[in-house]
Amino acid sequence: MAAIETHGLRKVYPAPPPPKKRGRAAGPPGMGGPPSAPGAFGAPRGEIVALQGLDLEVREGEFFGLLGPNGAGKTTTIGILTTRVKPTAGTARVGGADVTSEAVRVRQRIGVVPQRPNPDRALNALENLLFHAAYFGIPAAVAAPRAGQLLEQLGISDKAHAKVDEMSGGQQQRLMIARALIHEPQVIFLDEPTVGLDPQTRLSLWEILRVLHNEGRTIVMTTHYMDEADKLCDRIAIVDHGQLLELDTPASLKQRAPGGTLVEVTLAGDAAAIVDAVRGLDGVLRVEAKGPLLRVYSDRGGRVISPVIQIAEDNGAAVTNISLTEPSLETLFVSRTGRKLD
Ligand SMILES: Nc1ncnc2c1ncn2[C@@H]1O[C@H](COP(=O)(O)OP(=O)(O)O)[C@@H](O)[C@H]1O
Ligand SMILES: [Mg+2]
Protein backbone atom coordinates (compact mmCIF):
# COMPACT_ATOMS: atom_id res chain seq x y z
CA MET A 1 0.00 0.00 0.00
CA ALA A 2 1.21 3.49 -0.82
CA ALA A 3 1.83 5.78 2.15
CA ILE A 4 0.13 8.62 0.30
CA GLU A 5 -1.99 8.68 -2.82
CA THR A 6 -3.69 11.63 -4.45
CA HIS A 7 -5.88 11.69 -7.54
CA GLY A 8 -6.83 14.83 -9.41
CA LEU A 9 -6.28 16.98 -6.38
CA ARG A 10 -7.59 20.47 -7.00
CA LYS A 11 -7.77 23.51 -4.76
CA VAL A 12 -9.40 26.79 -5.62
CA TYR A 13 -9.27 29.53 -3.01
CA PRO A 14 -12.18 31.96 -3.15
CA ALA A 15 -11.52 35.48 -4.36
CA PRO A 16 -10.49 37.79 -1.56
CA PRO A 17 -13.24 40.32 -0.75
CA PRO A 18 -12.90 43.41 -2.99
CA PRO A 19 -11.31 46.40 -1.26
CA LYS A 20 -13.95 48.80 0.06
CA LYS A 21 -14.11 52.07 -1.81
CA ARG A 22 -14.64 55.05 0.40
CA GLY A 23 -16.46 58.32 -0.36
CA ARG A 24 -18.35 56.90 -3.31
CA ALA A 25 -21.91 55.60 -3.43
CA ALA A 26 -22.20 51.99 -4.54
CA GLY A 27 -23.75 51.67 -7.97
CA PRO A 28 -26.39 49.11 -8.90
CA PRO A 29 -25.17 45.49 -8.95
CA GLY A 30 -23.23 44.55 -12.03
CA MET A 31 -22.37 48.13 -12.90
CA GLY A 32 -19.23 50.11 -12.46
CA GLY A 33 -16.95 47.14 -11.76
CA PRO A 34 -14.45 45.69 -14.18
CA PRO A 35 -15.97 43.44 -16.82
CA SER A 36 -16.00 39.82 -15.75
CA ALA A 37 -13.08 38.06 -17.41
CA PRO A 38 -11.47 34.73 -16.70
CA GLY A 39 -8.48 34.87 -14.39
CA ALA A 40 -5.49 32.58 -14.35
CA PHE A 41 -6.05 28.99 -15.57
CA GLY A 42 -9.63 29.76 -16.65
CA ALA A 43 -10.90 30.33 -13.10
CA PRO A 44 -13.47 33.05 -12.53
CA ARG A 45 -11.81 36.40 -11.99
CA GLY A 46 -10.22 36.72 -8.58
CA GLU A 47 -10.31 33.05 -7.65
CA ILE A 48 -6.91 31.51 -7.02
CA VAL A 49 -6.27 28.08 -8.46
CA ALA A 50 -3.60 26.69 -6.14
CA LEU A 51 -3.70 23.07 -7.34
CA GLN A 52 -4.92 21.98 -10.73
CA GLY A 53 -5.26 18.22 -10.61
CA LEU A 54 -2.31 16.78 -8.74
CA ASP A 55 -1.63 13.02 -8.91
CA LEU A 56 0.99 11.81 -6.47
CA GLU A 57 2.01 8.51 -4.96
CA VAL A 58 4.44 8.36 -2.07
CA ARG A 59 5.80 4.94 -1.13
CA GLU A 60 6.03 3.50 2.36
CA GLY A 61 9.33 4.56 3.97
CA GLU A 62 10.16 6.99 1.22
CA PHE A 63 11.79 10.40 1.71
CA PHE A 64 9.70 12.40 -0.71
CA GLY A 65 10.35 15.98 -1.77
CA LEU A 66 7.90 18.53 -3.12
CA LEU A 67 10.11 21.04 -4.90
CA GLY A 68 8.81 24.26 -6.41
CA PRO A 69 9.04 28.03 -6.26
CA ASN A 70 6.97 30.20 -3.95
CA GLY A 71 3.30 30.01 -4.84
CA ALA A 72 3.65 26.59 -6.55
CA GLY A 73 1.08 24.99 -4.24
CA LYS A 74 3.37 23.11 -1.87
CA THR A 75 1.82 24.34 1.37
CA THR A 76 -1.66 23.80 -0.03
CA THR A 77 -0.76 20.19 -0.86
CA ILE A 78 0.63 19.64 2.65
CA GLY A 79 -2.47 21.38 4.06
CA ILE A 80 -4.79 18.94 2.29
CA LEU A 81 -2.71 15.86 3.20
CA THR A 82 -2.67 16.93 6.86
CA THR A 83 -6.47 17.63 6.82
CA ARG A 84 -6.06 21.37 7.46
CA VAL A 85 -7.17 22.45 3.99
CA LYS A 86 -10.29 21.12 2.27
CA PRO A 87 -9.72 20.03 -1.34
CA THR A 88 -12.06 21.55 -3.95
CA ALA A 89 -11.97 18.31 -5.95
CA GLY A 90 -10.05 15.07 -6.12
CA THR A 91 -9.11 12.59 -3.43
CA ALA A 92 -6.19 12.01 -1.11
CA ARG A 93 -5.40 9.08 1.18
CA VAL A 94 -2.72 8.98 3.84
CA GLY A 95 -1.86 5.63 5.38
CA GLY A 96 -4.96 4.26 3.68
CA ALA A 97 -7.33 6.80 5.28
CA ASP A 98 -9.21 9.44 3.29
CA VAL A 99 -8.29 13.01 4.28
CA THR A 100 -11.87 14.23 4.02
CA SER A 101 -14.04 11.40 5.33
CA GLU A 102 -11.51 9.92 7.78
CA ALA A 103 -9.69 13.05 8.94
CA VAL A 104 -9.31 11.86 12.54
CA ARG A 105 -7.64 8.63 11.45
CA VAL A 106 -5.32 10.56 9.15
CA ARG A 107 -4.32 12.92 11.97
CA GLN A 108 -3.38 10.00 14.21
CA ARG A 109 -1.07 8.63 11.53
CA ILE A 110 0.81 11.82 10.75
CA GLY A 111 3.22 14.22 12.39
CA VAL A 112 3.40 17.77 11.09
CA VAL A 113 6.30 20.19 11.32
CA PRO A 114 5.04 23.61 10.24
CA GLN A 115 7.17 26.13 8.36
CA ARG A 116 7.20 28.50 11.34
CA PRO A 117 7.50 26.93 14.80
CA ASN A 118 4.16 27.31 16.58
CA PRO A 119 4.74 25.86 20.05
CA ASP A 120 2.59 26.83 23.02
CA ARG A 121 4.66 29.69 24.42
CA ALA A 122 3.06 29.46 27.84
CA LEU A 123 4.56 25.99 28.29
CA ASN A 124 8.14 24.78 28.51
CA ALA A 125 9.64 22.42 25.94
CA LEU A 126 8.80 19.21 27.81
CA GLU A 127 5.26 20.37 28.61
CA ASN A 128 4.72 21.09 24.91
CA LEU A 129 5.45 17.44 24.16
CA LEU A 130 3.34 16.08 27.03
CA PHE A 131 0.39 18.31 26.13
CA HIS A 132 0.53 17.14 22.54
CA ALA A 133 0.74 13.49 23.66
CA ALA A 134 -2.31 13.97 25.89
CA TYR A 135 -4.19 15.35 22.89
CA PHE A 136 -3.56 12.02 21.17
CA GLY A 137 -4.68 10.08 24.27
CA ILE A 138 -1.22 8.81 25.20
CA PRO A 139 -1.01 8.11 28.96
CA ALA A 140 1.48 10.31 30.85
CA ALA A 141 3.41 7.23 32.00
CA VAL A 142 4.14 6.40 28.35
CA ALA A 143 4.53 9.97 27.13
CA ALA A 144 7.03 11.19 29.73
CA PRO A 145 9.89 8.77 28.97
CA ARG A 146 9.20 9.07 25.24
CA ALA A 147 9.37 12.88 25.45
CA GLY A 148 12.66 12.70 27.35
CA GLN A 149 14.06 10.37 24.73
CA LEU A 150 12.99 12.63 21.86
CA LEU A 151 14.49 15.73 23.47
CA GLU A 152 17.71 13.73 23.90
CA GLN A 153 17.65 12.46 20.31
CA LEU A 154 17.13 15.98 18.97
CA GLY A 155 19.88 17.43 21.14
CA ILE A 156 17.69 19.76 23.21
CA SER A 157 17.36 17.80 26.46
CA ASP A 158 19.10 20.65 28.32
CA LYS A 159 16.14 22.84 27.25
CA ALA A 160 13.45 20.50 28.61
CA HIS A 161 12.40 22.97 31.29
CA ALA A 162 13.13 26.14 29.32
CA LYS A 163 10.33 28.35 28.12
CA VAL A 164 10.05 28.31 24.34
CA ASP A 165 11.09 31.96 24.09
CA GLU A 166 14.43 31.05 25.68
CA MET A 167 15.16 28.68 22.79
CA SER A 168 16.81 29.65 19.48
CA GLY A 169 14.97 29.32 16.17
CA GLY A 170 16.80 26.08 15.39
CA GLN A 171 16.02 24.65 18.85
CA GLN A 172 12.34 25.54 18.44
CA GLN A 173 12.34 23.84 15.05
CA ARG A 174 13.75 20.68 16.69
CA LEU A 175 11.06 20.90 19.34
CA MET A 176 8.50 20.93 16.52
CA ILE A 177 10.06 17.75 15.15
CA ALA A 178 9.93 16.13 18.61
CA ARG A 179 6.29 17.17 18.90
CA ALA A 180 5.53 15.71 15.48
CA LEU A 181 7.02 12.37 16.61
CA ILE A 182 5.56 12.00 20.12
CA HIS A 183 2.57 9.95 18.97
CA GLU A 184 4.82 7.77 16.76
CA PRO A 185 3.25 8.62 13.41
CA GLN A 186 3.87 6.65 10.22
CA VAL A 187 4.23 9.72 8.06
CA ILE A 188 5.97 13.00 8.84
CA PHE A 189 5.29 16.21 6.93
CA LEU A 190 7.74 19.09 6.97
CA ASP A 191 6.93 22.35 5.22
CA GLU A 192 10.12 24.19 4.22
CA PRO A 193 11.80 23.11 7.46
CA THR A 194 15.11 24.88 6.91
CA VAL A 195 13.94 28.32 5.79
CA GLY A 196 15.47 30.99 8.00
CA LEU A 197 17.96 28.65 9.68
CA ASP A 198 21.67 29.40 9.69
CA PRO A 199 23.79 27.00 7.58
CA GLN A 200 25.04 25.00 10.57
CA THR A 201 21.58 24.46 12.06
CA ARG A 202 20.38 23.55 8.57
CA LEU A 203 23.02 20.81 8.29
CA SER A 204 22.18 19.41 11.72
CA LEU A 205 18.48 19.34 10.77
CA TRP A 206 19.41 17.40 7.62
CA GLU A 207 21.20 14.87 9.85
CA ILE A 208 18.10 14.51 12.03
CA LEU A 209 15.92 13.96 8.96
CA ARG A 210 18.33 11.31 7.66
CA VAL A 211 18.11 9.46 10.97
CA LEU A 212 14.29 9.55 10.89
CA HIS A 213 14.39 8.25 7.34
CA ASN A 214 16.76 5.43 8.29
CA GLU A 215 14.32 4.47 11.04
CA GLY A 216 11.95 3.62 8.23
CA ARG A 217 9.52 6.52 8.48
CA THR A 218 7.85 8.06 5.48
CA ILE A 219 8.88 11.69 5.16
CA VAL A 220 7.30 14.32 2.95
CA MET A 221 9.19 17.58 2.81
CA THR A 222 8.55 20.70 0.79
CA THR A 223 11.39 22.95 -0.20
CA HIS A 224 12.38 25.52 -2.76
CA TYR A 225 16.05 24.67 -2.22
CA MET A 226 17.07 22.25 -4.94
CA ASP A 227 20.29 21.23 -3.17
CA GLU A 228 18.25 20.22 -0.13
CA ALA A 229 15.86 18.12 -2.23
CA ASP A 230 18.78 16.65 -4.15
CA LYS A 231 20.72 15.59 -1.04
CA LEU A 232 17.88 14.23 1.09
CA CYS A 233 15.10 12.86 -1.08
CA ASP A 234 14.59 9.42 -2.61
CA ARG A 235 12.23 10.97 -5.13
CA ILE A 236 11.25 14.51 -5.98
CA ALA A 237 8.06 15.94 -7.42
CA ILE A 238 8.72 19.24 -9.14
CA VAL A 239 5.60 21.38 -8.99
CA ASP A 240 4.78 24.76 -10.48
CA HIS A 241 1.47 26.61 -10.74
CA GLY A 242 -0.25 23.73 -8.94
CA GLN A 243 0.84 21.16 -11.52
CA LEU A 244 3.26 18.26 -11.45
CA LEU A 245 6.11 18.88 -13.89
CA GLU A 246 8.40 15.96 -13.10
CA LEU A 247 8.53 13.08 -10.62
CA ASP A 248 11.61 10.92 -10.27
CA THR A 249 14.79 10.27 -8.33
CA PRO A 250 17.23 13.20 -8.12
CA ALA A 251 19.73 11.30 -10.29
CA SER A 252 17.20 10.64 -13.08
CA LEU A 253 15.93 14.20 -12.94
CA LYS A 254 19.43 15.57 -13.31
CA GLN A 255 20.04 13.28 -16.27
CA ARG A 256 16.99 14.83 -17.84
CA ALA A 257 18.38 18.33 -17.38
CA PRO A 258 19.55 19.82 -20.65
CA GLY A 259 23.23 19.13 -21.23
CA GLY A 260 26.00 21.50 -20.43
CA THR A 261 26.41 24.59 -18.35
CA LEU A 262 23.63 27.15 -18.44
CA VAL A 263 25.03 30.59 -19.21
CA GLU A 264 22.54 33.40 -18.79
CA VAL A 265 23.41 36.74 -20.28
CA THR A 266 21.30 39.85 -19.78
CA LEU A 267 21.54 42.48 -22.51
CA ALA A 268 20.64 46.14 -22.62
CA GLY A 269 18.48 45.33 -25.67
CA ASP A 270 16.42 42.47 -27.09
CA ALA A 271 18.29 39.15 -26.94
CA ALA A 272 16.42 37.66 -29.93
CA ALA A 273 18.59 39.76 -32.28
CA ILE A 274 21.72 37.70 -31.55
CA VAL A 275 20.28 34.19 -31.10
CA ASP A 276 21.33 32.97 -34.55
CA ALA A 277 24.87 34.29 -34.26
CA VAL A 278 25.33 32.74 -30.81
CA ARG A 279 23.93 29.41 -31.98
CA GLY A 280 26.82 29.21 -34.45
CA LEU A 281 29.48 29.45 -31.74
CA ASP A 282 31.69 26.53 -30.85
CA GLY A 283 30.40 24.58 -27.81
CA VAL A 284 26.88 26.00 -27.88
CA LEU A 285 24.23 23.27 -27.54
CA ARG A 286 21.10 25.36 -27.37
CA VAL A 287 20.08 29.03 -27.27
CA GLU A 288 16.88 30.72 -26.12
CA ALA A 289 15.94 34.38 -25.91
CA LYS A 290 13.39 35.88 -23.57
CA GLY A 291 13.24 39.66 -23.71
CA PRO A 292 16.66 40.96 -22.71
CA LEU A 293 17.69 37.53 -21.36
CA LEU A 294 19.74 35.12 -23.45
CA ARG A 295 20.05 31.49 -22.28
CA VAL A 296 22.96 29.54 -23.68
CA TYR A 297 23.54 25.85 -22.88
CA SER A 298 27.25 25.27 -23.35
CA ASP A 299 29.39 22.15 -23.28
CA ARG A 300 32.47 24.33 -22.98
CA GLY A 301 31.44 25.88 -19.66
CA GLY A 302 32.09 29.60 -19.31
CA ARG A 303 34.36 29.72 -22.35
CA VAL A 304 31.42 30.74 -24.53
CA ILE A 305 30.96 33.92 -22.50
CA SER A 306 33.54 36.14 -24.18
CA PRO A 307 32.44 35.37 -27.77
CA VAL A 308 28.79 35.94 -26.70
CA ILE A 309 29.75 39.35 -25.27
CA GLN A 310 31.59 40.12 -28.52
CA ILE A 311 28.51 39.28 -30.60
CA ALA A 312 26.28 41.36 -28.33
CA GLU A 313 28.57 44.38 -28.54
CA ASP A 314 28.90 44.04 -32.32
CA ASN A 315 25.09 44.32 -32.32
CA GLY A 316 25.20 47.45 -30.16
CA ALA A 317 23.72 45.72 -27.09
CA ALA A 318 25.76 45.99 -23.89
CA VAL A 319 25.85 43.00 -21.51
CA THR A 320 24.51 43.98 -18.07
CA ASN A 321 24.65 40.66 -16.24
CA ILE A 322 26.08 37.15 -16.60
CA SER A 323 25.40 34.01 -14.56
CA LEU A 324 26.58 30.42 -14.81
CA THR A 325 24.75 27.28 -13.55
CA GLU A 326 25.98 23.68 -13.77
CA PRO A 327 23.49 21.01 -14.98
CA SER A 328 21.24 20.41 -11.99
CA LEU A 329 17.66 20.32 -10.83
CA GLU A 330 17.82 24.10 -11.22
CA THR A 331 18.71 23.95 -14.93
CA LEU A 332 15.98 21.33 -15.42
CA PHE A 333 13.47 23.64 -13.75
CA VAL A 334 14.60 26.60 -15.85
CA SER A 335 14.33 24.58 -19.05
CA ARG A 336 10.81 23.40 -18.13
CA THR A 337 9.39 26.72 -16.90
CA GLY A 338 11.62 29.47 -18.24
CA ARG A 339 12.09 30.68 -14.65
CA LYS A 340 14.43 30.11 -11.75
CA LEU A 341 13.37 28.38 -8.56
CA ASP A 342 13.76 31.43 -6.35
N1 LIG B 1 -5.60 30.79 2.32
C1 LIG B 1 -5.40 31.22 1.08
N2 LIG B 1 -6.30 32.05 0.47
C2 LIG B 1 -6.11 32.47 -0.79
N3 LIG B 1 -5.07 32.11 -1.56
C3 LIG B 1 -4.15 31.29 -1.03
C4 LIG B 1 -4.25 30.80 0.32
N4 LIG B 1 -3.18 30.00 0.57
C5 LIG B 1 -2.45 30.00 -0.56
N5 LIG B 1 -3.02 30.77 -1.53
C6 LIG B 1 -2.51 30.96 -2.91
O1 LIG B 1 -2.42 29.69 -3.52
C7 LIG B 1 -1.24 29.59 -4.31
C8 LIG B 1 -0.38 28.46 -3.78
O2 LIG B 1 0.10 28.81 -2.49
P1 LIG B 1 0.92 27.83 -1.56
O3 LIG B 1 0.25 26.52 -1.53
O4 LIG B 1 1.13 28.54 -0.27
O5 LIG B 1 2.29 27.71 -2.37
P2 LIG B 1 3.78 27.41 -1.86
O6 LIG B 1 3.70 26.77 -0.50
O7 LIG B 1 4.34 26.50 -2.91
O8 LIG B 1 4.49 28.72 -1.82
C9 LIG B 1 -0.58 30.95 -4.23
O9 LIG B 1 -1.00 31.70 -5.35
C10 LIG B 1 -1.12 31.53 -2.96
O10 LIG B 1 -1.13 32.93 -3.02
MG1 LIG C 1 4.62 27.31 1.30
Side-chain angles (χ1 to χ4, degrees), residues 44-127:
R45 196 180 191 86
E47 285 191 343
I48 296 157
V49 182
L51 294 182
Q52 9 177 10
L54 201 61
D55 295 322
L56 289 177
E57 190 180 307
V58 178
R59 297 168 191 151
E60 207 87 54
E62 190 165 42
F63 198 140
F64 192 89
L66 266 177
L67 178 69
N70 283 325
K74 303 182 298 295
T75 297
T76 300
T77 305
I78 296 283
I80 292 173
L81 295 176
T82 58
T83 77
R84 282 153 180 80
V85 174
K86 234 178 97 125
T88 307
T91 58
R93 303 182 83 81
V94 177
D98 184 273
V99 294
T100 309
S101 60
E102 300 170 287
V104 174
R105 281 174 70 191
V106 170
R107 268 180 242 142
Q108 278 162 352
R109 285 163 198 201
I110 63 171
V112 186
V113 180
Q115 180 168 341
R116 277 179 214 85
N118 60 354
D120 188 328
R121 299 190 177 274
L123 305 177
N124 68 32
L126 180 61
E127 289 163 347

Side-chain angles (χ1 to χ4, degrees), residues 35-341:
S36 180
F41 317 127
R45 196 180 191 86
E47 285 191 343
I48 296 157
V49 182
L51 294 182
Q52 9 177 10
L54 201 61
D55 295 322
L56 289 177
E57 190 180 307
V58 178
R59 297 168 191 151
E60 207 87 54
E62 190 165 42
F63 198 140
F64 192 89
L66 266 177
L67 178 69
N70 283 325
K74 303 182 298 295
T75 297
T76 300
T77 305
I78 296 283
I80 292 173
L81 295 176
T82 58
T83 77
R84 282 153 180 80
V85 174
K86 234 178 97 125
T88 307
T91 58
R93 303 182 83 81
V94 177
D98 184 273
V99 294
T100 309
S101 60
E102 300 170 287
V104 174
R105 281 174 70 191
V106 170
R107 268 180 242 142
Q108 278 162 352
R109 285 163 198 201
I110 63 171
V112 186
V113 180
Q115 180 168 341
R116 277 179 214 85
N118 60 354
D120 188 328
R121 299 190 177 274
L123 305 177
N124 68 32
L126 180 61
E127 289 163 347
N128 261 281
L129 300 186
L130 298 179
F131 190 80
H132 198 74
Y135 173 81
F136 283 100
I138 300 168
V142 176
R146 200 184 281 170
Q149 208 178 336
L150 280 169
L151 291 173
E152 186 74 48
Q153 191 186 350
L154 291 161
I156 47 174
S157 51
D158 56 325
K159 297 286 170 186
H161 300 286
K163 285 278 188 284
V164 171
D165 289 331
E166 295 159 18
M167 300 170 73
S168 71
Q171 290 168 336
Q172 291 186 27
Q173 189 68 297
R174 289 181 211 194
L175 178 62
M176 293 300 93
I177 295 175
R179 190 184 67 180
L181 294 172
I182 191 86
H183 55 296
E184 305 201 309
Q186 298 168 0
V187 187
I188 302 158
F189 292 93
L190 302 110
D191 196 1
E192 309 234 21
T194 63
V195 167
L197 297 183
D198 62 82
Q200 207 179 331
T201 310
R202 194 165 170 233
L203 283 179
S204 87
L205 192 58
W206 284 5
E207 257 340 287
I208 291 166
L209 296 180
R210 284 200 181 100
V211 169
L212 295 178
H213 179 42
N214 290 338
E215 288 173 1
R217 297 173 205 272
T218 305
I219 302 181
V220 178
M221 177 185 78
T222 77
T223 183
H224 66 272
Y225 299 126
M226 50 147 195
D227 60 325
E228 185 162 284
D230 190 0
K231 289 204 175 75
L232 293 174
C233 298
D234 296 323
R235 287 194 307 154
I236 298 171
I238 300 182
V239 289
D240 190 30
H241 296 310
Q243 279 179 317
L244 184 67
L245 296 184
E246 305 270 358
L247 200 172
D248 215 327
T249 62
S252 309
L253 289 174
K254 277 184 282 185
Q255 268 176 16
R256 230 174 281 164
T261 305
L262 169 63
V263 178
E264 289 187 305
V265 179
T266 311
L267 305 180
D270 190 359
I274 62 167
V275 164
D276 286 337
V278 171
R279 191 170 285 136
L281 289 173
D282 216 23
V284 168
L285 302 168
R286 186 170 141 190
V287 188
E288 296 157 9
K290 193 182 163 196
L293 184 68
L294 188 75
R295 274 198 193 108
V296 185
Y297 292 93
S298 147
D299 65 3
R300 297 180 70 220
R303 274 175 294 176
V304 300
I305 290 176
S306 89
V308 169
I309 293 175
Q310 191 61 53
I311 291 172
E313 283 177 353
D314 291 348
N315 272 267
V319 170
T320 60
N321 196 29
I322 297 169
S323 81
L324 239 128
T325 316
E326 294 304 320
S328 64
L329 296 177
E330 180 86 35
T331 56
L332 176 64
F333 185 80
V334 170
S335 77
R336 288 294 313 265
T337 66
R339 285 177 297 115
K340 295 210 164 190
L341 263 166

